[in-house]
Short mmCIF file of all heavy atoms in Angstrom, two decimals:
data_model
loop_
_atom_site.label_atom_id
_atom_site.label_comp_id
_atom_site.label_asym_id
_atom_site.label_seq_id
_atom_site.Cartn_x
_atom_site.Cartn_y
_atom_site.Cartn_z
N GLU B 47 -22.27 33.57 2.78
CA GLU B 47 -21.24 34.28 3.61
C GLU B 47 -19.96 34.50 2.84
O GLU B 47 -19.12 35.23 3.37
CB GLU B 47 -21.01 33.53 4.92
CG GLU B 47 -22.18 33.38 5.80
CD GLU B 47 -22.57 34.64 6.51
OE1 GLU B 47 -21.58 35.39 6.97
OE2 GLU B 47 -23.69 35.03 6.62
N LEU B 48 -19.78 33.77 1.73
CA LEU B 48 -18.55 33.90 0.97
C LEU B 48 -18.57 35.11 -0.01
O LEU B 48 -19.64 35.57 -0.49
CB LEU B 48 -18.20 32.69 0.20
CG LEU B 48 -18.13 31.39 1.00
CD1 LEU B 48 -17.81 30.21 0.06
CD2 LEU B 48 -17.06 31.44 2.01
N ASP B 49 -17.40 35.68 -0.31
CA ASP B 49 -17.31 36.85 -1.15
C ASP B 49 -17.11 36.42 -2.59
O ASP B 49 -16.19 36.00 -3.06
CB ASP B 49 -16.05 37.62 -0.77
CG ASP B 49 -16.06 38.99 -1.42
OD1 ASP B 49 -16.64 39.09 -2.61
OD2 ASP B 49 -15.53 40.00 -0.85
N ILE B 50 -18.39 36.48 -3.26
CA ILE B 50 -18.41 35.93 -4.60
C ILE B 50 -17.58 36.72 -5.56
O ILE B 50 -16.97 36.18 -6.55
CB ILE B 50 -19.82 35.83 -5.13
CG1 ILE B 50 -19.92 35.03 -6.38
CG2 ILE B 50 -20.43 37.22 -5.25
CD1 ILE B 50 -21.30 34.64 -6.83
N GLN B 51 -17.35 37.99 -5.29
CA GLN B 51 -16.52 38.75 -6.22
C GLN B 51 -15.09 38.41 -6.18
O GLN B 51 -14.42 38.22 -7.26
CB GLN B 51 -16.70 40.27 -5.96
CG GLN B 51 -17.95 40.84 -6.58
CD GLN B 51 -18.48 42.07 -5.94
OE1 GLN B 51 -18.04 42.47 -4.87
NE2 GLN B 51 -19.54 42.70 -6.53
N LEU B 52 -14.62 38.23 -4.97
CA LEU B 52 -13.20 37.81 -4.85
C LEU B 52 -13.00 36.44 -5.41
O LEU B 52 -12.04 36.11 -6.06
CB LEU B 52 -12.81 37.80 -3.32
CG LEU B 52 -12.59 39.23 -2.72
CD1 LEU B 52 -12.12 39.06 -1.31
CD2 LEU B 52 -11.56 39.98 -3.48
N GLY B 53 -14.01 35.50 -5.21
CA GLY B 53 -13.93 34.19 -5.72
C GLY B 53 -13.87 34.23 -7.23
O GLY B 53 -13.06 33.48 -7.85
N ALA B 54 -14.76 34.99 -7.82
CA ALA B 54 -14.78 35.02 -9.24
C ALA B 54 -13.51 35.64 -9.84
O ALA B 54 -12.91 35.16 -10.85
CB ALA B 54 -16.04 35.90 -9.78
N PHE B 55 -13.04 36.69 -9.20
CA PHE B 55 -11.75 37.28 -9.54
C PHE B 55 -10.64 36.24 -9.60
O PHE B 55 -9.90 36.12 -10.50
CB PHE B 55 -11.39 38.41 -8.68
CG PHE B 55 -10.03 39.09 -8.94
CD1 PHE B 55 -9.82 39.89 -10.04
CD2 PHE B 55 -8.93 38.78 -8.08
CE1 PHE B 55 -8.53 40.39 -10.24
CE2 PHE B 55 -7.76 39.29 -8.22
CZ PHE B 55 -7.53 40.12 -9.35
N ASN B 56 -10.53 35.42 -8.52
CA ASN B 56 -9.56 34.46 -8.36
C ASN B 56 -9.63 33.42 -9.41
O ASN B 56 -8.68 32.82 -9.89
CB ASN B 56 -9.54 33.86 -6.97
CG ASN B 56 -8.47 34.31 -6.17
OD1 ASN B 56 -7.57 35.01 -6.63
ND2 ASN B 56 -8.47 33.96 -4.86
N THR B 57 -10.89 33.08 -9.80
CA THR B 57 -11.11 32.09 -10.83
C THR B 57 -10.52 32.56 -12.15
O THR B 57 -9.81 31.80 -12.81
CB THR B 57 -12.60 31.76 -11.02
OG1 THR B 57 -13.21 31.51 -9.72
CG2 THR B 57 -12.85 30.56 -11.97
N GLY B 58 -10.77 33.83 -12.46
CA GLY B 58 -10.18 34.43 -13.61
C GLY B 58 -8.63 34.41 -13.58
O GLY B 58 -7.99 34.02 -14.59
N VAL B 59 -8.15 34.68 -12.42
CA VAL B 59 -6.67 34.74 -12.26
C VAL B 59 -6.10 33.31 -12.54
O VAL B 59 -5.07 33.20 -13.30
CB VAL B 59 -6.32 35.21 -10.80
CG1 VAL B 59 -4.80 34.88 -10.59
CG2 VAL B 59 -6.59 36.66 -10.61
N LEU B 60 -6.64 32.39 -12.00
CA LEU B 60 -6.18 30.99 -12.20
C LEU B 60 -6.27 30.51 -13.60
O LEU B 60 -5.40 29.87 -14.13
CB LEU B 60 -6.88 29.94 -11.25
CG LEU B 60 -6.27 29.77 -9.93
CD1 LEU B 60 -6.87 28.51 -9.30
CD2 LEU B 60 -4.76 29.79 -9.92
N ILE B 61 -7.39 30.87 -14.24
CA ILE B 61 -7.51 30.49 -15.73
C ILE B 61 -6.44 31.14 -16.53
O ILE B 61 -5.84 30.57 -17.40
CB ILE B 61 -8.93 30.79 -16.18
CG1 ILE B 61 -9.94 29.88 -15.57
CG2 ILE B 61 -8.98 30.59 -17.73
CD1 ILE B 61 -11.40 30.21 -15.81
N ALA B 62 -6.19 32.41 -16.18
CA ALA B 62 -5.07 33.07 -16.93
C ALA B 62 -3.80 32.43 -16.63
O ALA B 62 -2.96 32.33 -17.59
CB ALA B 62 -5.13 34.58 -16.50
N SER B 63 -3.52 32.03 -15.45
CA SER B 63 -2.28 31.38 -15.07
C SER B 63 -2.14 30.01 -15.88
O SER B 63 -0.98 29.64 -16.22
CB SER B 63 -2.09 31.16 -13.68
OG SER B 63 -2.71 29.98 -13.24
N SER B 64 -3.25 29.36 -16.04
CA SER B 64 -3.17 28.16 -16.83
C SER B 64 -2.74 28.45 -18.29
O SER B 64 -1.96 27.68 -18.91
CB SER B 64 -4.48 27.49 -16.85
OG SER B 64 -4.50 26.35 -16.04
N LEU B 65 -3.24 29.55 -18.82
CA LEU B 65 -2.90 29.96 -20.21
C LEU B 65 -1.32 30.26 -20.26
O LEU B 65 -0.72 29.75 -21.13
CB LEU B 65 -3.70 31.22 -20.62
CG LEU B 65 -3.33 31.78 -21.96
CD1 LEU B 65 -3.69 30.83 -23.11
CD2 LEU B 65 -3.98 33.16 -22.19
N THR B 66 -0.95 30.99 -19.31
CA THR B 66 0.48 31.44 -19.45
C THR B 66 1.32 30.20 -19.24
O THR B 66 2.41 30.08 -19.81
CB THR B 66 0.88 32.46 -18.27
OG1 THR B 66 0.44 31.99 -17.04
CG2 THR B 66 0.29 33.76 -18.57
N MET B 67 0.89 29.19 -18.39
CA MET B 67 1.62 28.00 -18.21
C MET B 67 1.77 27.23 -19.45
O MET B 67 2.78 26.66 -19.82
CB MET B 67 0.93 27.16 -17.13
CG MET B 67 1.75 25.90 -16.64
SD MET B 67 3.27 26.40 -15.82
CE MET B 67 4.41 25.39 -16.76
#
Side-chain angles (χ1 to χ4, degrees):
Chain B
E47 296 288 318
L48 299 181
D49 191 330
I50 191 167
Q51 278 157 352
L52 287 181
F55 174 74
N56 253 351
T57 310
V59 168
L60 270 196
I61 291 175
S63 83
S64 256
L65 175 67
T66 53
M67 189 65 233

